[in-house]
């Protein structure tokens, strides 16, 4: 297990879910090379899909920009070691599509 501690930058997740996110990230960093951000993100996403149901998204990297809509109580942005992590559950647009 990594020795570093995650620093939560922003979140609206319950504390238990925050711990799940940071722990999943730590396990992924133990399993994959730090440069393999895609595999790290996939590991975290699959874990959240399994535990909390489908629809989770995960972005991992040293620097990235993003703009998204998320379900209430499902967002966390944190750093661990040299990487940044964004985990959230997407929110469907409730407007009907035109026919």
């Amino acid at each position: 297990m990594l020795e570093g501690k995650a620093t939560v930058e922003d979140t609206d997740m319950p504390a238990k879910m925050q711990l799940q996110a940071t722990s999943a990230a730590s396990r992924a960093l133990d399993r994959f090379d730090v440069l393999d951000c895609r595999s790290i993100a996939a590991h975290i996403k699959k874990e959240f899909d399994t535990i909390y149901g489908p629809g989770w998204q995960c972005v991992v990297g040293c620097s990235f920009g993003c703009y998204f809509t998320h379900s209430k109580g499902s967002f966390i942005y944190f750093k661990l070691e040299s990487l940044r992590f964004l985990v959230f559950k997407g929110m469907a647009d409730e407007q009907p599509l035109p026919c």
Side-chain angles (χ1 to χ4, degrees), residues 3-66:
E3 297 299 319
K5 184 173 189 240
T7 303
V8 176
E9 301 282 328
D10 196 8
T11 189
D12 72 348
M13 274 184 179
K16 183 178 177 184
M17 197 179 284
Q18 290 178 43
L19 182 58
Q20 183 72 38
T22 58
S23 295
S26 183
R27 286 189 296 276
L29 287 172
D30 285 342
R31 185 172 176 187
F32 301 103
D33 186 280
V34 71
L35 299 176
D36 190 2
C37 293
R38 183 176 292 198
S39 294
I40 294 168
H43 177 87
I44 297 166
K45 183 221 181 328
K46 288 174 187 175
E47 185 169 318
F48 265 68
D49 281 346
T50 300
I51 296 169
Y52 299 108
W56 288 88
Q57 307 299 318
C58 183
V59 181
V60 178
C62 296
S63 176
F64 56 85
C66 59

Side-chain angles (χ1 to χ4, degrees), residues 46-94:
K46 288 174 187 175
E47 185 169 318
F48 265 68
D49 281 346
T50 300
I51 296 169
Y52 299 108
W56 288 88
Q57 307 299 318
C58 183
V59 181
V60 178
C62 296
S63 176
F64 56 85
C66 59
Y67 185 84
F68 61 93
T69 302
H70 67 90
S71 298
K72 185 176 180 180
S74 72
F75 158 78
I76 188 168
Y77 176 68
F78 62 95
K79 62 182 177 178
L80 178 61
E81 300 297 319
S82 62
L83 294 175
R84 309 283 186 193
F85 297 80
L86 173 64
V87 181
F88 65 95
K89 188 166 190 172
M91 189 167 110
D93 187 358
E94 304 229 355

